[in-house]
Structure formats: structure tokens, C-alpha cells
């Protein structure tokens, strides 16, 4: 049913036919514009903007934006409103794109707390600009991605953070057990527009597309009702930014390959693996010079280091120091997991046990999709025991009074004496969560019935 609804919405925006230039149902009104555009269009080798506006590319972009959902930008338009808006306004928007006169709106500033303190500043484009960025990104990615380094794993089709971590493991297994951990300071905020545009101009001859990309970069940021100009950086939050970051850092990848270094990079998170501390320190100093002088970026001295891989974290994972290094969840990732579970299960939220279980299940499934690939199952087993105890403690606090607690324990099959002893205990919720009465009343089977997934699986 959902697929049929989505197909109907795509047809609404772009028309039923799969051929023809106008993606709307206003073909007659655009015939004269099309003839004029053909007379003024650049050479065949410079017609990338026509590819951006091509029907199938636009339909794919719309489907992707709808799937990603997301919050509205400065104009307040929501994702579900986009197909109807395009049906009415696409001919004008398309003509602006093809004539090089389209002007994006400013992005909306959103600040997301970082796990290690501080905030990450995101720029949320309008839904329309997200759609156009997605259409541009698809055209550029089809040409650029196949030329990127095989050691680059971030924001690329068919590649993932897990592959980057596995690559790091392979280096360690071959004896490269010193890590040059490079952290670029505020990378997305410091990218030079001029350097990026020069890089794009090496392979893009369509001036209209270059002008549009620069317009996205310089659209400005709205914060507190005021628009501030932007003269550097690629705002995180739009579909185009990840690809542009890979284009910027491709020069860095090529330099590492030229030096025959072993590395894995995911966006601005890059680790280089060497055989000794001395080699690592030499590599660190030379790479800092390259990043500063060539890329015009800055290395975060506090977060960068030469160390053993098991003393650092890479994309949320760390490693054991055995002969065959294994992936383990980084300590900071474990702390973040516990903090999030505490947030979802705290008594003051005032939600029912069923609602709490539903929200917790969504989080755990996403978390397991990533960290379930660790190779230290005893860590997952320990977290699962902690999670069950935390749930028993939270439910015990929801019951509040001794009489209610006694009744709930009896309802769940706990004997009179044990129920009375537990309900009247002076011990705190955390200690009682590990008591025989609560283990019986709130068994693992009970949590299974709520749909809460297990963290441990048979491998």
C-alpha cells in the first residue's frame, strides 16, 4: 500500500510518462521555453544541468527526499507538501535552473549536542533545496564516485563504516599496530569555497551547475530570525554536503596513496596504520603540514594522536590487543548507550511501560544494527544484564507505593511472604532490581513479550 501511495505521489509531481523534457503536466506552457532554451543551451559536453533536470533523475531525487523525511527549513514547508508544490511550480523552477538564475534559500541553524561536549551545528535547507541538492548530488556522484580512493568509505554507495573498521583490523593483523589518529577541527565549517569550486571546475564545464553549487554554499544561515552570510564551509544537513566533503578530501587520499601509507577514511575521520611509534610521529608531522598548507584545513591537536589502536576509537569501535585483533565497542560508545537508556527509562517521563518499551525497542534496533557487529559478545552480554536490571528498576519506581508494589508482585506470581518482604524493603530500586522477587515477576520472558530485543545473538 505504501509503495502504491508513493508511486502516485511521484506521478502527481512528474507526470505519468517516462519521456519528454517537462516533468509536469503543463507541457504546452513550456514548449516555447524549451525552444528558447535549446537555442541558448551550452555545448553537449556542458549540459550537466539538463541531466539534473531530467525526469528520471528528478523522480529518484523526490523519492529519496521523501524517504529521508526530515524537518522543514526556513519556509516551513514539510516533505509531504513537496509533490504538490512541484506540480504547480516546477516549470518555473526548471527554467531558473537551466538559465542559471535559481537562488536557494538560507539554511535553518540547528545545534545538536556532541557526545563529548560542545555542539554540532547543522544547516537544514528547505525541502525544495534538499530536493534540488539531491538531484545535483546524483548526477555528480555517478561521475565522481568511481574515481575516489578505495580506502574512502564515507557517504558512498555500497560502502559503510563497518568496512572501514574491518580494513583497520586487517592492517593490525598484518603487524601495523601503531595508529596515526587524525581529527580535522570543524572540518565541515572550514572548507574553503574557492578551493572547492576550483576542484569542481576541473571536471565540470557547465557554468550553470557551478553557479548553483556555489549558491548552495553561500546561501547563508538563518539563526534567531537573522540571516548571516557564509564564506566558508559546507553546511551539514543537506544531501550535497557529504559528496562535496569527499571531493575536498580526495586530494588527501591521493597524497596518502602516493606515500604508500595504509589508511582508512570515513568522511573527516581518518586513521593511518604504521609499524612503530617513530614512524607514526614522522607521518603525523608531515600530514599536519600537508593538511594545513595544501588543504587549508586545521588538525585538532587535542583529539589527534599517535597511539596503539586499542587505546583509540575509530567510528565508535576500538580493538583488542590479541594476536588477531577483534572489534569491540569503544568505552565512550558504551557510556553513551547507558546514558540514552537512562533517558528513555527515567520515571519522570510519565509514560506507560508499553510506551517506554516501544521507544526503547526503536533505539535498541538501530543501535544493534551498528554495534551488534562487535566481536566481543561478553560485552553485549554484560550490557544486556545491565539493561534488564535498569528496566526492573524503572518499573519498580513506577509502582511507587508499597501496597501497589505488593499487589503487582502477587499478580505476577510472587509468593505472599517474598512479595511482602520485597515491597516493604528499605533498599533502593537499583538493588531491589536484582532481587529474586523482581527477577521472577519481571522475567526476561516478560521483556521479550514487550518486544524488547536481546543484545546477544547466536553467532
Amino acid at each position: 500500500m505504501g509503495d502504491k501511495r508513493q508511486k502516485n505521489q511521484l506521478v502527481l509531481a512528474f507526470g505519468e510518462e517516462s519521456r519528454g523534457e517537462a516533468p509536469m503536466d503543463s507541457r504546452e506552457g513550456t514548449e516555447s521555453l524549451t525552444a528558447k532554451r535549446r537555442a541558448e543551451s551550452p555545448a553537449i559536453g556542458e549540459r550537466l544541468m539538463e541531466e539534473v533536470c531530467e525526469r528520471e533523475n528528478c523522480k529518484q531525487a523526490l523519492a529519496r527526499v521523501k524517504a529521508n523525511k526530515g524537518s522543514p527549513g526556513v519556509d516551513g514547508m514539510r516533505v509531504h507538501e513537496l509533490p504538490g508544490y512541484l506540480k504547480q511550480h516546477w516549470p518555473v523552477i526548471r527554467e531558473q535552473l537551466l538559465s542559471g538564475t535559481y537562488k536557494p534559500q538560507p539554511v535553518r541553524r540547528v545545534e545538536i549536542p556532541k557526545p563529548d561536549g560542545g555542539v554540532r551545528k547543522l544547516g537544514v535547507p528547505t525541502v525544495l533545496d534538499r530536493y534540488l541538492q539531491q538531484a545535483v548530488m546524483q548526477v555528480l556522484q555517478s561521475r565522481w564516485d568511481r574515481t575516489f580512493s578505495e580506502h574512502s568509505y564515507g557517504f558512498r554507495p555500497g560502502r559503510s563504516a563497518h568496512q572501514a573498521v574491518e580494513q583497520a583490523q586487517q592492517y593490525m593483523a598484518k603487524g601495523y599496530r601503531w595508529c596515526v589518529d587524525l581529527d580535522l577541527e570543524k572540518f565541515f565549517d572550514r572548507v574553503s569555497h574557492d578551493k572547492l569550486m576550483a576542484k569542481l571546475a576541473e571536471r565540470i564545464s557547465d557554468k550553470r551547475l557551478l553557479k548553483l553549487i556555489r549558491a548552495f554554499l553561500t546561501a547563508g544561515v538563518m539563526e534567531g530570525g537573522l540571516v548571516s552570510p557564509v564564506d566558508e564551509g559546507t553546511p551539514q544537513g543537506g544531501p550535497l554536503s557529504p559528496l562535496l566533503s569527499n571531493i575536498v578530501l580526495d586530494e588527501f587520499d591521493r597524497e596518502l596513496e602516493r606515500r604508500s601509507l595504509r589508511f582508512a577514511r570515513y568522511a573527516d575521520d581518518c586513521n593511518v596504520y604504521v609499524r612503530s611509534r617513530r614512524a607514526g610521529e614522522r607521518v603525523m608531522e608531515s600530514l599536519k603540514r600537508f593538511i594545513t598548507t595544501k588543504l587549508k584545513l586545521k588538525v585538532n591537536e587535542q583529539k589527534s594522536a599517535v597511539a596503539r589502536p586499542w587505546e583509540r576509537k575509530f567510528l565508535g569501535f576500538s580493538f583488542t590487543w590479541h594476536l588477531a585483533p577483534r572489534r569491540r565497542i569503544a568505552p565512550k560508545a558504551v557510556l553513551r548507550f547507558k546514558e540514552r537508556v537512562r533517558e528513555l527509562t527515567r520515571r519522570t517521563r510519565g509514560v506507560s511501560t508499553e510506551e517506554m518499551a516501544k521507544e526503547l525497542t526503536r533505539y535498541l534496533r538501530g543501535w544493534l544494527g551498528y554495534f551488534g557487529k562487535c566481536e566481543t559478545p561478553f560485552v553485549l552480554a554484560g550490557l544486556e544484564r545491565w539493561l534488564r536490571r535498569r528496566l526492573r528498576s524503572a518499573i519498580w519506581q513506577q509502582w511507587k507505593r508499597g501496597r501497589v508494589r505488593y499487589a503487582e508482585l502477587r499478580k505476577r506470581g510472587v509468593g505472599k511472604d517474598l512479595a511482602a518482604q520485597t515491597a516493604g524493603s528499605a533498599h533502593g530500586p537499583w538493588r531491589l532490581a536484582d532481587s529474586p522477587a523482581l527477577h521472577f515477576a519481571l522475567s526476561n520472558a516478560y521483556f521479550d513479550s514487550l518486544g524488547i530485543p536481546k543484545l546477544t545473538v547466536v553467532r
Side-chain angles (χ1 to χ4, degrees):
M1 187 70 179
D3 292 341
K4 184 177 180 180
R5 185 182 296 110
Q6 185 181 55
K7 181 178 178 182
N8 290 339
Q9 289 173 326
L10 293 176
V11 169
L12 177 68
F14 294 107
E16 183 67 44
E17 298 184 25
S18 61
R19 294 186 177 182
E21 291 197 340
M24 297 297 171
D25 55 359
S26 54
R27 189 184 305 274
E28 292 181 2
T30 61
E31 284 181 350
S32 59
L33 293 176
T34 301
K36 180 181 178 182
R37 183 174 60 253
R38 282 173 178 165
E40 297 175 350
S41 290
I44 295 296
E46 299 179 345
R47 293 172 62 88
L48 281 181
M49 190 62 83
E50 277 75 10
E51 292 187 37
V52 170
C53 298
E54 193 270 332
R55 182 190 301 271
E56 285 304 314
N57 186 58
C58 288
K59 289 172 69 175
Q60 290 174 20
L62 179 59
R64 176 57 59 187
V65 169
K66 287 172 62 64
N68 289 341
K69 300 180 181 178
S71 57
V74 295
D75 62 352
M77 184 191 297
R78 298 187 176 277
V79 172
H80 71 270
E81 299 175 88
L82 182 59
Y85 183 86
L86 290 174
K87 178 177 174 61
Q88 182 177 357
H89 298 284
W90 176 248
V92 174
I93 296 169
R94 186 172 191 270
E95 185 60 29
Q96 290 174 346
L97 292 170
L98 294 173
S99 63
T101 59
Y102 180 83
K103 293 184 178 180
Q105 295 191 65
V107 298
R108 181 170 62 87
R109 172 68 76 212
V110 176
E111 294 185 347
I112 306 296
K114 288 184 178 181
D116 53 354
V119 295
R120 176 177 287 107
K121 294 184 177 182
L122 302 182
V124 180
T126 64
V127 173
L128 175 60
D129 286 339
R130 290 209 297 270
Y131 158 72
L132 295 178
Q133 284 192 33
Q134 179 68 31
V136 171
M137 187 276 291
Q138 289 169 180
V139 170
L140 294 186
Q141 189 173 63
S142 66
R143 287 165 166 75
W144 228 292
D145 188 77
R146 59 179 177 267
T147 70
F148 288 148
S149 168
E150 62 177 310
H151 305 291
S152 168
Y153 295 91
F155 310 116
R156 298 181 59 191
R159 288 175 170 261
S160 68
H162 291 134
Q163 292 174 338
V165 174
E166 289 167 4
Q167 178 68 78
Q169 272 184 278
Q170 293 175 21
Y171 292 142
M172 283 178 262
K174 293 178 181 178
Y176 297 88
R177 297 201 169 194
W178 284 91
C179 171
V180 181
D181 187 355
L182 285 160
D183 185 273
L184 300 180
E185 186 173 307
K186 297 181 179 179
F187 166 71
F188 287 93
D189 298 331
R190 295 183 183 274
V191 170
S192 166
H193 288 175
D194 290 340
K195 188 170 181 60
L196 171 57
M197 293 308 302
K199 195 73 176 176
L200 290 170
E202 291 176 3
R203 293 176 55 181
I204 299 176
S205 57
D206 192 327
K207 303 299 183 184
R208 301 165 302 172
L209 185 54
L210 291 171
K211 183 179 179 181
L212 178 62
I213 294 172
R214 184 176 278 277
F216 281 129
L217 293 173
T218 60
V221 175
M222 180 173 285
E223 194 169 11
L226 299 175
V227 177
S228 303
V230 176
D231 55 10
E232 65 177 359
T234 59
Q236 297 182 74
L240 190 55
S241 183
L243 175 62
L244 296 180
S245 70
N246 275 334
I247 291 173
V248 170
L249 291 174
D250 186 56
E251 184 178 354
F252 181 57
D253 295 340
R254 297 306 173 192
E255 177 65 15
L256 294 174
E257 290 177 343
R258 187 185 68 79
R259 301 184 188 190
S260 299
L261 293 171
R262 290 152 183 83
F263 71 98
R265 182 178 67 79
Y266 189 96
D268 59 334
D269 201 341
C270 181
N271 280 5
V272 182
Y273 295 89
V274 295
R275 291 188 181 274
S276 68
R277 174 182 285 277
R278 184 176 178 182
E281 291 173 347
R282 185 172 62 250
V283 168
M284 173 68 84
E285 290 304 314
S286 63
L287 290 181
K288 284 198 295 188
R289 285 195 300 272
F290 179 85
I291 290 169
T292 303
T293 59
K294 296 292 186 180
L295 300 183
K296 306 302 181 185
L297 297 170
K298 187 176 180 181
V299 174
N300 189 323
E301 300 283 354
Q302 293 182 336
K303 294 185 177 181
S304 300
V306 177
R308 293 291 195 178
W310 44 87
E311 297 172 348
R312 309 292 294 177
K313 66 179 180 68
F314 184 44
L315 303 175
F317 289 95
S318 188
F319 305 92
T320 62
W321 51 88
H322 301 90
L323 291 176
R326 292 181 296 167
R327 292 188 301 278
R328 64 183 179 93
I329 305 172
K332 287 185 178 180
V334 172
L335 291 177
R336 288 198 296 271
F337 170 84
K338 291 186 174 182
E339 288 172 3
R340 183 58 178 152
V341 170
R342 289 189 185 101
E343 290 175 5
L344 292 172
T345 58
R346 68 177 185 270
R347 179 175 59 87
T348 54
R349 295 189 65 217
V351 299
S352 66
T353 300
E354 290 73 18
E355 182 61 28
M356 179 181 68
K358 188 183 299 183
E359 294 179 9
L360 184 62
T361 296
R362 281 198 296 268
Y363 170 70
L364 291 176
R365 284 178 177 163
W367 188 88
L368 279 170
Y370 189 79
F371 288 106
K373 293 184 180 293
C374 77
E375 296 173 330
T376 50
F378 63 90
V379 174
L380 290 177
L383 285 176
E384 185 168 275
R385 288 192 298 271
W386 177 88
L387 172 63
R388 306 291 178 178
R389 188 171 179 179
R390 173 67 191 178
L391 288 170
R392 293 185 182 103
S393 174
I395 294 173
W396 183 253
Q397 291 179 79
Q398 284 183 346
W399 291 343
K400 295 182 180 179
R401 297 172 183 162
R403 184 174 298 177
V404 174
R405 289 170 173 173
Y406 175 80
E408 291 289 348
L409 291 174
R410 290 289 294 136
K411 185 170 65 176
R412 287 166 168 76
V414 179
K416 290 182 179 180
D417 293 342
L418 183 57
Q421 179 185 353
T422 305
S425 174
H427 293 307
W430 182 250
R431 180 166 177 178
L432 287 174
D434 204 29
S435 67
L438 264 68
H439 270 276
F440 185 87
L442 303 173
S443 64
N444 290 346
Y446 169 72
F447 296 124
D448 292 343
S449 71
L450 293 175
I452 298 174
K454 290 183 170 65
L455 302 187
T456 53
V457 294
V458 178
R459 297 181 180 275

